[in-house]
Amino acid sequence: MSEHETTRALDERAHQQAEQASARAALGTHRAAYASMAAAQRGNARGIGIAAVVLGLLTLWAVLGGYPVLAAVPGLPFLMCLLGLASSRSSADRNQGARLDLFERGLTVATPDRSWAVRYAEATVLQHLVRHTQYGRTLRTTYAYLLTDTEGRSVVLRDGFGGRMDALALATMPKPELARDFAGAPEWGPAIQRAVTEARLPEALDRVRAGEKVQFGPLWLTRSEIGAREKAVPWTEVEDVQVKDGVVSIRVAGRWSSLATATVSTIPNFFVFQELAARLLAA
């Protein structure tokens, strides 16, 4: 079987896994599908391989020509290319056949052998978004999301360009059973966040109106206060709630302070928290 036929067979098996998982979880109408980064990573590996061959020949020429010191010039990039080649091939093999499907009421992550179904109304999402800047300009953003499925298992969805969950975020959730890279993260990442917020915000609002405390990791909200552990501030004293340097901060009497040192990536369903806090502040 050719490489193309093998890839097609794996993709078809993953498609079947996704359909079965969505049917079991009753996720509704299919909205979008995203392929893994395997093809792009294999292409990247080919490019690195060509560079490695060229640099290897230059290194060999310098050594055989009696210029061992000069050999270090192409030699170091050659070693770096070998490491990059191994990493790209490993990532491509790991992601082969994986797919991400978004549905009306949830999503599925599928490989040729297994599947995970996430319902938006029950999901817990941790996000780790990093904006890479230079001279004040955002060059790119890397994406990583950790979600719990209908069976309580955790999966990590990444963009394939360096998006990783930080250690603090991983420590707050069960160890993920799967971590895969998918194309189109600037689309599927915000789409998942919007869907989870729309599904879970009404319940959070109802609980607050009923006088309950709604917990978001280290932070909590009630109809009258915002707090972290034993520390609380009445909404009547809060002027604004924003993210400052990755930490949720509140402004009271013109001064910014953080209720907890936990970063945004350790706050479950942060977008739900953010929207609920905005509504309580406005009220």
Side-chain angles (χ1 to χ4, degrees):
M1 185 179 291
S2 68
E3 180 179 341
H4 176 72
E5 291 173 331
T6 300
T7 300
R8 187 171 180 177
L10 292 174
D11 290 344
E12 180 59 30
R13 283 165 52 188
H15 186 200
Q16 293 173 357
Q17 290 281 355
E19 287 186 332
Q20 293 169 6
S22 66
R24 287 194 301 268
L27 300 183
T29 307
H30 187 266
R31 294 285 173 80
Y34 297 92
S36 76
M37 293 291 292
Q41 288 162 337
R42 291 197 187 284
N44 187 48
R46 285 192 289 270
I48 294 175
I50 293 172
V53 169
V54 174
L55 291 168
L57 290 174
L58 289 173
T59 303
L60 182 62
W61 171 82
V63 171
L64 295 179
Y67 306 103
V69 176
L70 186 61
V73 176
L76 182 58
F78 170 68
L79 294 176
M80 294 177 65
C81 281
L82 291 182
L83 292 174
L85 180 61
S87 177
S88 293
R89 284 180 173 175
S90 175
S91 295
D93 291 342
R94 182 177 62 251
N95 288 306
Q96 184 68 51
R99 60 181 287 148
L100 168 65
D101 289 86
L102 305 187
F103 295 84
E104 178 186 2
R105 293 186 290 275
L107 63 87
T108 60
V109 182
T111 67
D113 304 313
R114 302 180 67 185
S115 61
W116 291 258
V118 176
R119 290 194 193 96
Y120 295 139
E122 304 167 2
T124 299
V125 182
L126 289 174
Q127 64 174 35
H128 188 53
L129 279 59
V130 179
R131 290 179 175 82
H132 302 267
T133 61
Q134 187 177 38
Y135 305 118
R137 295 179 56 193
T138 299
L139 302 179
R140 62 189 177 94
T141 302
T142 53
Y143 299 81
Y145 295 87
L146 188 149
L147 305 92
T148 51
D149 74 352
T150 54
E151 298 180 23
R153 302 173 298 177
S154 296
V155 294
V156 174
L157 313 180
R158 306 178 301 207
D159 63 356
F161 295 103
R164 297 291 184 271
M165 296 303 300
D166 64 6
L168 285 174
L170 289 173
T172 63
M173 298 279 284
K175 183 178 179 181
E177 291 193 1
L178 183 82
R180 293 293 183 268
D181 306 320
F182 294 100
E187 296 178 13
W188 55 255
I192 292 171
Q193 290 287 27
R194 285 194 301 270
V196 171
T197 302
E198 290 173 0
R200 303 214 62 173
L201 182 61
E203 176 196 1
L205 283 169
D206 289 342
R207 291 180 59 193
V208 166
R209 288 165 182 159
E212 294 184 38
K213 176 190 291 186
V214 182
Q215 198 81 33
F216 293 90
L219 303 177
W220 52 263
L221 304 171
T222 68
R223 188 164 49 187
S224 58
E225 294 178 316
I226 177 173
R229 300 178 179 89
E230 303 303 320
K231 184 179 179 181
V233 179
W235 284 113
T236 53
E237 298 180 12
V238 177
E239 299 170 356
D240 199 0
V241 180
Q242 288 190 18
V243 176
K244 298 284 187 179
D245 298 322
V247 176
V248 174
S249 299
I250 62 173
R251 189 173 67 189
V252 178
R255 299 184 62 180
W256 289 98
S257 64
S258 59
L259 290 167
T261 56
T263 60
V264 168
S265 60
T266 63
I267 300 174
N269 296 336
F270 171 72
F271 277 35
V272 180
F273 165 84
Q274 193 174 44
E275 181 63 25
L276 182 58
R279 296 195 182 198
L280 290 170
L281 179 61

